[in-house]
Amino acid sequence: MSSRTEEAATVTEPAENLPWALWARQVLAILKLEVKKNFWGRRAILIYLLALLPVLLFTAIALIPPDMGGRNDPAFFNMMFANIYEILILRTVVFFGCAWIFMNLFRGEVVDRSLHYYFLSALRREVLVVGKYLSGLLTSLTLFVSMTFVSLVLLYLPLGYSTSMQHLTAGHGLRYAMIYLAVTALACVGYGAVFLLIGLLFRNPVIPALAVYGWEFINFLLPPVLKKLSVIHYLQSLLPLPLSEGPFAIVAEPSPAWVAIPTLLLMATLVLVFASLQIRRMEIRYGGE
């Protein structure tokens, strides 16, 4: 791309303040455009494959249920789901799925050499951040919350249809299901904001994303103060059946829901505010991509 085009691509947004109604219309327009790309673009294939992993696993469990000596014990399936949910769904599928969706919101545009079209529009860059984040959030919530729900339904099928439906719609089963769905949604909110910022700041976002994964992975070894500087600490605090972290874990009190949920939402908001400040100074350099 010529230097003249590069200079044009860095044109700043209009100085005057836009009315809230116009901001809302612009966010909605960006949301519609980005959601289509998130669901139907070529990069969406990996997300669908990730979301299928737990579904395929629980389908196999439903078809070939574990030997329980003829007993139908919901508590056994509750603990099974707690293990698979935290290890496979939360720490793997949702984490890497959000990384792929949200990092590509800006980094994918730079790779495709299309971000300058947004920058040349009469559009505040903060509005662009909000619109893209909401599009990634809608995509991740649709895929991963649905995946969690389908996995729950498949898990309890060996109990029989009537028993499994009764378990999922009453008592502890309903409460557990609602908590798992809520934790998945909060994971999308928190990880989504972090990975959007990484995709905005870094030319090669893979290394920072792996650094975040390493920090989340070793959370059980961190002292209590540092544990609270992670997303996974607050998500684990909300889980209905927390798992043992092993003999080497440093024990820390889980954060109550009235602390964990507002903290995650506040963290995501602050990260988005920082991203909005950073994008004001962003200059496009396609030549190095």
Side-chain angles (χ1 to χ4, degrees):
M1 174 174 286
S2 66
S3 60
R4 180 175 298 179
T5 306
E6 289 183 358
E7 292 173 0
T10 62
V11 64
T12 58
E13 66 276 2
E16 65 273 16
N17 292 326
L18 297 178
W20 288 102
L22 179 56
W23 288 355
R25 289 197 300 270
Q26 289 179 333
V27 167
L28 184 59
I30 295 169
L31 180 62
K32 291 180 179 178
L33 180 63
E34 293 294 320
V35 164
K36 289 181 181 178
K37 292 194 293 185
N38 292 342
F39 278 111
W40 304 111
R42 64 182 185 276
R43 295 187 179 94
I45 297 175
L46 179 60
I47 304 302
Y48 291 129
L49 292 177
L50 271 174
L52 275 175
L53 286 177
V55 175
L56 293 176
L57 174 61
F58 285 110
T59 299
I61 294 174
L63 294 176
I64 310 174
D67 184 13
M68 298 177 57
R71 295 180 296 110
N72 289 334
D73 186 4
F76 173 82
F77 289 95
N78 289 340
M79 187 54 64
M80 179 191 297
F81 187 83
N83 282 272
I84 297 176
Y85 176 82
E86 183 170 337
I87 296 171
L88 178 61
I89 295 179
L90 188 59
R91 290 180 174 270
T92 304
V93 174
V94 175
F95 182 91
F96 288 106
C98 285
W100 185 254
I101 292 171
F102 286 90
M103 287 196 305
N104 278 315
L105 292 176
F106 282 101
R107 182 48 42 188
E109 295 271 12
V110 174
V111 172
D112 294 340
R113 305 194 174 197
S114 57
L115 184 58
H116 65 282
Y117 293 118
Y118 277 124
F119 282 10
L120 289 170
S121 303
L123 176 73
R124 292 184 67 93
R125 295 189 180 184
E126 300 93 327
V127 174
L128 179 60
V129 169
V130 173
K132 278 185 168 289
Y133 175 75
L134 290 179
S135 73
L137 188 59
L138 180 59
T139 303
S140 58
L141 289 177
T142 301
L143 289 175
F144 301 140
V145 173
S146 299
M147 169 202 68
T148 304
F149 177 76
V150 172
S151 298
L152 277 165
V153 173
L154 289 172
L155 174 72
Y156 295 106
L157 282 183
L159 297 174
Y161 179 79
S162 59
T163 303
S164 61
M165 289 300 101
Q166 181 180 2
H167 179 71
L168 284 172
T169 56
H172 290 299
L174 177 61
R175 175 176 169 270
Y176 288 173
M178 297 302 295
I179 291 176
Y180 284 122
L181 296 178
V183 170
T184 301
L186 287 170
C188 294
V189 171
Y191 286 131
V194 171
F195 289 123
L196 180 142
L197 180 62
I198 289 175
L200 188 63
L201 294 180
F202 297 95
R203 177 171 295 180
N204 182 5
V206 175
I207 295 176
L210 291 177
V212 172
Y213 181 76
W215 180 260
E216 299 285 280
F217 182 79
I218 66 170
N219 182 264
F220 71 101
L221 296 174
L222 299 176
V225 174
L226 293 181
K227 285 179 184 289
K228 297 181 180 180
L229 298 179
S230 65
V231 175
I232 195 65
H233 166 75
Y234 299 102
L235 298 177
Q236 286 179 318
S237 298
L238 297 171
L239 294 176
L241 296 173
L243 305 180
S244 172
E245 294 181 318
F248 301 106
I250 297 178
V251 179
E253 288 294 326
S255 298
W258 63 270
V259 172
I261 296 174
T263 300
L264 282 172
L265 297 178
L266 178 61
M267 182 216 69
T269 301
L270 292 177
V271 171
L272 290 177
V273 169
F274 183 72
S276 298
L277 295 175
Q278 290 298 308
I279 199 173
R280 292 179 179 179
R281 300 191 294 270
M282 183 178 181
E283 296 184 0
I284 302 175
R285 292 289 184 266
Y286 288 146
E289 300 298 328

